[in-house]
Amino acid sequence: MPAPQQRWWGGALDAEALARDAVQRVRDAARAVAAARDLEVEIETSPALIAASFAAIDHLRIDGRPAQPWGGLSGFVAARDGWVRLHGNYPHHAAVLRAVLDVEDRAGLERAIARWDAADVEERVVAAGGIAAAVRDEAQWRAHPHARATAQEPWAGLVDRGERGMLPPAVPGAAGRRTVPGESSAGDSSAGDPSAGGDAELLAGVRVLDLTRVIAGPTCTQLLACLGAEVLRLGPPHRPELLDQHLSTGMGVRSALLDLRREEARARLRRLAAEADVILTGYRPGALDRHGLGPADLEELAPHSVLGVLSAWGTHGPWGGRAGFDSIVQAATGIAVRCGSEERPGALPVQALDHATGHLLAAHVLDALARGRAVTVRASLLGAARTLLALPAPSGEVAALPVPLRQVASGAGTLEVVPPPLTVGGRTLERDVGADGAERARWHG
């Protein structure tokens, strides 16, 4: 009988196994890219790096202050017949909660929801464009129409669209920038040296168009940026990313604003997509389709690209077009009940669905680049939840691990961060964080 794996967080579910497997897949795929580019470099991971990176926002410090990831209206609220989980971190989602429930603050929210059934709260909030989920146990979720419709979907499904061409061998001296243009590196004096750890960076010359936000997609693209890719993240000017969220997932990423309500912006995005090696989307299914930039459009614009499509609930079934977050998927699928007590539901110790899915997506991207294939990968947080719930019950003692912290520069001040969970040539991969939306929407390389 195999010995129990080390536990870092504890809890009723084996989130450690989910995290370990996803990051090891990234490590193996990164090794394949190194081999394809004739780079002789050691690529590793460690339990300390994995554990800390999955709790990156908890460890983040901005000029000494901790991050503030949760809005005042987010969290579990007791309904008349159970519990509901709300997500109001973003201003537009908080505004929906206030309008639908006719409340101004948390106390009013709790009084209002106590008069409703949880399913009614879920239905009314979602119909108005907000984010909510009734807390269900596993049996209730398995009986749900969306659970039945998606039961056979893999965590990440891949369609091979043909050959895209192999990456050229890495050119000595062609390492990507270690810092954001115009900013100096902080912390380790060698962190800004492009030659440190090898003659060239793993993904030098690879262009990644990042149409994601929150945690899962940016976890993927931050890792690709820290491996040397040019990552250009585009966001809507009228709905900016939360500052602390951006600082937690923006290392090495160039960020620009593009208003897709304007035709000239849509035309620019089409040009950028046509020139990208990798395109990643993470908005609610259908959100980009109305601009002519859905997955099928992007496949046509960039037939040579590796396309990653990320969603909360998958793209089929009655909830296939619904927005969602890690905490909301936990609540709906039974994870919150498994992590809670008789008195109230609970949550995983980290947002493991987000981070694991982001790393799994990165693994598929790296594998496709290494093999020279144009693929479309569809991954969902629901698939991560289903995978986690199917794992055997965990065993073993919980042991605290050291937290590998680094200092980097940002427009918001000096950051204390956890680097991505890989080392290349024995070095961690931290980079500076540029200001959200400060770049121009164009390729540098």
Side-chain angles (χ1 to χ4, degrees), residues 148-211:
R148 294 200 303 268
T150 58
Q152 302 306 314
E153 287 187 3
W155 182 5
L158 185 146
V159 174
D160 192 315
R161 307 194 322 269
E163 186 175 353
R164 59 161 268 111
M166 300 297 292
L167 290 170
V171 178
R177 283 181 292 273
R178 294 291 295 179
T179 58
V180 174
E183 295 182 342
S184 60
S185 178
D188 187 340
S189 61
S190 64
D193 179 3
S195 65
D199 292 330
E201 292 194 71
L202 194 67
L203 296 181
V206 174
R207 290 172 168 174
V208 179
L209 185 61
D210 181 0
L211 306 176

Side-chain angles (χ1 to χ4, degrees), residues 72 139 215 340-341 442:
I215 298 176
S341 65
R442 63 182 179 86

Side-chain angles (χ1 to χ4, degrees), residues 174 205 263 291 327 420 430:
E263 174 51 36
H291 299 302
S327 60
E430 64 279 356

Side-chain angles (χ1 to χ4, degrees), residues 40-196:
E40 294 185 8
V41 63
E42 184 180 44
I43 300 173
E44 292 294 347
T45 187
S46 71
L49 276 173
I50 298 172
S53 70
F54 272 57
I57 200 161
D58 299 321
H59 298 300
L60 176 66
R61 297 294 181 270
I62 305 112
D63 277 343
R65 78 161 175 87
Q68 299 173 352
W70 295 105
L73 300 184
S74 296
F76 293 108
V77 182
R80 184 166 55 191
D81 63 341
W83 292 84
V84 64
R85 178 118 197 192
L86 307 174
H87 200 288
N89 291 1
Y90 288 89
H92 58 291
H93 290 150
V96 171
L97 294 176
R98 292 189 184 97
V100 169
L101 302 170
D102 193 22
V103 300
E104 292 297 330
D105 55 20
R106 180 75 184 201
L109 183 84
E110 293 178 355
R111 288 193 298 270
I113 290 179
R115 299 192 294 266
W116 291 4
D117 289 345
D120 290 338
V121 177
E122 175 186 273
E123 182 179 349
R124 294 185 188 193
V125 170
V126 171
I131 308 293
V135 174
R136 298 170 173 85
D137 62 27
E138 291 173 75
Q140 290 170 325
W141 175 247
R142 285 194 297 269
H144 191 276
H146 189 73
R148 294 200 303 268
T150 58
Q152 302 306 314
E153 287 187 3
W155 182 5
L158 185 146
V159 174
D160 192 315
R161 307 194 322 269
E163 186 175 353
R164 59 161 268 111
M166 300 297 292
L167 290 170
V171 178
R177 283 181 292 273
R178 294 291 295 179
T179 58
V180 174
E183 295 182 342
S184 60
S185 178
D188 187 340
S189 61
S190 64
D193 179 3
S195 65

Side-chain angles (χ1 to χ4, degrees), residues 159-165 302-307 368 372-376:
V159 174
D160 192 315
R161 307 194 322 269
E163 186 175 353
R164 59 161 268 111
H304 59 282
S305 69
V306 178
L307 176 61
R373 306 300 299 177
V375 304
T376 297

